[in-house]
Amino acid sequence: LVKEGPISILGRVCSLLENLIHEGDLSSKKLNGIGIGVPGPVDFSVGSLVSPPIMPGWDRYPIIQTVQQWFPTTNVVVDNDVNVMALGEIYQGAGKGVDNLIYVKIGTGIGAGIICESKIYRGSNGCAGDIGHISVDKNGPLCHCGNKGCLEALAAGPAIALRSLNAAQAGKSPILMKYYETNGNVLRAEDVGNASREGDAVALEVIRESGQFIGDVLAGLVNFYNPGMIVIGGGVSNLGDLLLSSIRQSVLRRSLPLATRDLLIVFSEIGTDAGVIGAINLAMDNIFTLLSNRVEAVAD
Amino acid sequence: LVKEGPISILGRVCSLLENLIHEGDLSSKKLNGIGIGVPGPVDFSVGSLVSPPIMPGWDRYPIIQTVQQWFPTTNVVVDNDVNVMALGEIYQGAGKGVDNLIYVKIGTGIGAGIICESKIYRGSNGCAGDIGHISVDKNGPLCHCGNKGCLEALAAGPAIALRSLNAAQAGKSPILMKYYETNGNVLRAEDVGNASREGDAVALEVIRESGQFIGDVLAGLVNFYNPGMIVIGGGVSNLGDLLLSSIRQSVLRRSLPLATRDLLIVFSEIGTDAGVIGAINLAMDNIFTLLSNRVEAVAD
């Protein structure tokens, strides 16, 4: 969808929003803020994507200015989608009240949103949290980034599906093979989850192994960042408690006792709502920042 | 030295400080602040060490209160030593003006100090930056922490010396063997540095390899944290430019292009002065924080 390019997509988003305002019998002048999350690294100071790998045509595209052509009186703010979800988690999710938190989204890719002292931490180029390409196994499978054994190439949805399919095609899992054939020769990560709930040994092993890879990377990040909580979200979190317990086990084995003493590792309770809640709070934070800057300017 | 326990050590430190004040013909009442760095995880809110691995007797010992028995009118602040050095680097070292920085100290152990938006980041339990036990090679040598293949077990001073000694004793380096015998059957990391400057192939290979291990871990941290600069300090940085170029090469190979575009990886220019400068600035920051809190209390 994002591949249609910014003009088409932002146009569609803005017209959907106009419809919503119309349906609610509201005025767009009462729309004080818009918060937007996009799947790529964002230069937050100008609200543009910088070299996004999966969004051709979006590089440095002026998202804020485009949206403001539709809503000229509205304050618009843009951030990376996983950052926005992390913000949602500390406002209304499992991370309420946690100062330092890592939100990990595991789906087609793997990314993290970092909360530092209750705020989004973006890093020096806006690409902090890009944990999908941290090395897990130097001799592991080739990743689309060109390196070998990246976390994403071992534990994201497609990797989980592929390892399961290989085992199924080697005759090790009639259950997975049935899912594969029923779907029209496609096996998805969610099929692996379903097979595991039916007790399929291959599915259980692939999930356990994937949790271990994720946990190995998180163990290093726990030693470095010493967060109070890690929240796991994204489609792969539907694989269930075996994934979570496997992640926890790896982290506990490799992290330092002091860093794990109070550490909680949990699944997101609010799912994709994290993005919506985060975007609302991003927009509100932005308005309050603008207002307080204006008050200071008046006071001077 | 720290193994003598807190009463003896803090007593010695305070009496040295009293002598200094006396020599300078000053009054201890004019000593507004003392900043202290200690080699272990610190609960910053109370200024005590928490389960320090190499400091028996210091666990939760009231350092601030003890020092204030000698200097009752002075504000005392305690932090982890590597945090303090990181602060020194952004005040007067290579990191001047850098918002997000990782300072890596490589000596007998390996630790990092994290600067986040120009301030020390301590994590939820005060142990952020403990990167010495991040896994590099699951099948690597046993670390004193009980795990295998920790960064410290592969690239700290003792590991560099041990790998070199093994090669020397296998007859691969007469130069290193000479250092070993001259020292009285001891080989130190600095000997490996000296041998490398004489062109010894084993020493060069061990240094290159160690830089690669350090770079592998830093590559992951660069993807996660997206710092503007990494400063390398500690004794092992004396091994020279081969170590640095090997670290850089590994980071560039495994980190994302956007995260390395503006990233600088440099040796500390101020060496051990980083600790002194950092402690001074920690003490000053502490005084200004206390003052501004007092001003706010008066204003209320």
Side-chain angles (χ1 to χ4, degrees):
Chain A
L1 203 71
V2 289
K3 288 186 182 160
E4 287 178 28
I7 299 170
S8 155
I9 295 293
L10 291 176
R12 199 182 319 178
V13 167
C14 288
S15 71
L16 280 171
L17 187 52
E18 274 194 332
N19 291 346
L20 270 177
I21 291 167
H22 192 72
E23 277 172 29
D25 223 358
L26 303 165
S27 153
S28 70
K29 286 192 181 154
K30 289 203 171 167
L31 187 65
N32 286 312
I34 296 177
I36 300 175
V38 289
V42 170
D43 180 345
F44 186 72
S45 60
V46 295
S48 294
L49 283 149
V50 183
S51 316
I54 57 166
M55 299 175 77
W58 288 80
D59 190 23
R60 300 191 184 278
Y61 188 84
I63 300 175
I64 294 177
Q65 290 78 345
T66 306
V67 174
Q68 278 182 329
Q69 283 173 13
W70 296 67
F71 305 99
T73 58
T74 305
N75 296 300
V76 183
V77 58
V78 178
D79 206 333
N80 168 269
D81 61 342
V82 188
N83 288 353
V84 171
M85 295 179 88
L87 195 65
E89 290 293 340
I90 63 160
Y91 270 100
Q92 286 186 40
K96 251 185 179 174
V98 179
D99 294 338
N100 305 309
L101 177 144
I102 304 177
Y103 172 79
V104 183
K105 186 178 172 223
I106 311 171
T108 312
I110 297 181
I114 305 172
I115 299 293
C116 177
E117 314 295 353
S118 308
K119 284 189 209 144
I120 295 174
Y121 172 78
R122 300 181 175 91
S124 291
N125 302 81
C127 62
D130 213 335
I131 66 170
H133 302 281
I134 293 183
S135 172
V136 177
D137 177 3
K138 280 185 186 179
N139 305 312
L142 192 68
C143 181
H144 59 88
C145 76
N147 275 315
K148 276 185 174 177
C150 296
L151 179 60
E152 203 162 290
L154 282 162
I160 289 172
L162 182 64
R163 277 211 309 286
S164 302
L165 180 60
N166 288 342
Q169 287 180 329
K172 289 180 192 162
S173 166
I175 296 179
L176 285 169
M177 210 57 208
K178 205 186 63 197
Y179 277 107
Y180 174 71
E181 283 159 5
T182 313
N183 294 341
N185 292 355
V186 173
L187 191 71
R188 302 157 306 181
E190 59 185 275
D191 300 323
V192 182
N194 289 333
S196 79
R197 277 179 279 272
E198 296 174 45
D200 181 68
V202 166
L204 289 167
E205 177 56 18
V206 169
I207 293 173
R208 197 197 54 72
E209 214 177 52
S210 302
Q212 194 182 312
F213 293 137
I214 297 163
D216 283 347
V217 167
L218 292 182
L221 301 181
V222 165
N223 284 350
F224 174 74
Y225 193 66
N226 182 207
M229 183 183 278
I230 296 176
V231 180
I232 313 278
V236 169
S237 58
N238 294 328
L239 293 181
D241 286 341
L242 174 61
L243 183 75
L244 193 59
S245 63
S246 175
I247 292 173
R248 281 184 183 143
Q249 213 175 10
S250 281
V251 171
L252 287 177
R253 194 173 49 230
R254 293 271 357 175
S255 292
L256 297 159
L258 183 58
T260 52
R261 199 182 55 188
D262 310 317
L263 174 67
L264 293 171
I265 304 178
V266 298
F267 277 141
S268 169
E269 294 157 8
I270 55 176
T272 51
D273 286 350
V276 179
I277 296 164
I280 293 169
N281 284 288
L282 184 70
M284 293 209 296
D285 287 352
N286 181 49
I287 293 169
F288 289 130
T289 306
L290 293 172
L291 277 178
S292 74
N293 289 349
R294 213 170 295 165
V295 170
E296 271 176 32
V298 171
D300 289 343
Chain B
L1 205 69
V2 288
K3 288 184 182 161
E4 287 178 28
I7 298 170
S8 155
I9 294 293
L10 291 176
R12 196 178 327 174
V13 167
C14 289
S15 70
L16 280 171
L17 187 52
E18 273 194 334
N19 291 347
L20 270 177
I21 291 167
H22 192 72
E23 277 171 30
D25 222 359
L26 303 165
S27 153
S28 70
K29 285 192 181 156
K30 287 202 171 167
L31 186 66
N32 286 313
I34 296 177
I36 301 175
V38 289
V42 170
D43 180 344
F44 185 72
S45 61
V46 295
S48 294
L49 283 150
V50 183
S51 316
I54 57 165
M55 299 176 77
W58 288 80
D59 189 24
R60 300 189 184 278
Y61 188 84
I63 300 174
I64 294 178
Q65 289 79 346
T66 305
V67 174
Q68 278 182 330
Q69 283 174 12
W70 296 66
F71 304 99
T73 60
T74 306
N75 296 301
V76 183
V77 57
V78 178
D79 206 334
N80 168 269
D81 61 343
V82 188
N83 288 353
V84 170
M85 296 180 88
L87 195 66
E89 290 293 340
I90 63 160
Y91 270 100
Q92 285 186 40
K96 251 187 178 174
V98 179
D99 294 338
N100 305 308
L101 177 146
I102 304 177
Y103 173 79
V104 182
K105 186 176 173 226
I106 312 172
T108 312
I110 297 182
I114 307 171
I115 299 293
C116 177
E117 314 294 355
S118 307
K119 283 190 210 140
I120 295 174
Y121 171 77
R122 301 182 173 90
S124 290
N125 302 81
C127 62
D130 213 335
I131 66 170
H133 301 282
I134 293 182
S135 172
V136 177
D137 176 4
K138 280 186 186 178
N139 306 312
L142 192 68
C143 181
H144 59 88
C145 76
N147 275 314
K148 276 186 176 178
C150 296
L151 179 60
E152 205 162 286
L154 282 161
I160 290 172
L162 182 64
R163 276 211 308 286
S164 303
L165 180 61
N166 288 342
Q169 288 181 326
K172 290 178 190 162
S173 166
I175 295 180
L176 285 169
M177 210 57 209
K178 205 185 63 198
Y179 277 107
Y180 174 71
E181 283 159 4
T182 313
N183 294 340
N185 292 355
V186 173
L187 191 71
R188 301 157 307 178
E190 60 186 277
D191 300 323
V192 181
N194 290 333
S196 79
R197 277 180 280 271
E198 295 175 44
D200 181 69
V202 165
L204 289 166
E205 176 56 18
V206 168
I207 292 173
R208 198 198 52 73
E209 214 176 51
S210 302
Q212 195 182 312
F213 293 137
I214 297 164
D216 283 348
V217 166
L218 292 182
L221 301 182
V222 165
N223 284 350
F224 174 75
Y225 194 67
N226 183 207
M229 183 182 278
I230 296 175
V231 180
I232 313 277
V236 168
S237 58
N238 294 328
L239 294 181
D241 286 341
L242 174 61
L243 183 76
L244 193 60
S245 64
S246 175
I247 292 174
R248 282 184 181 142
Q249 214 176 8
S250 281
V251 171
L252 287 176
R253 196 174 49 231
R254 293 274 353 179
S255 292
L256 297 159
L258 184 58
T260 53
R261 200 180 55 188
D262 310 316
L263 175 67
L264 295 171
I265 304 178
V266 298
F267 277 142
S268 170
E269 296 157 7
I270 54 175
T272 49
D273 285 351
V276 179
I277 296 164
I280 293 169
N281 283 287
L282 184 70
M284 293 209 296
D285 287 353
N286 181 49
I287 293 170
F288 289 131
T289 306
L290 293 172
L291 276 177
S292 75
N293 288 349
R294 213 170 296 165
V295 170
E296 271 177 32
V298 170
D300 290 345

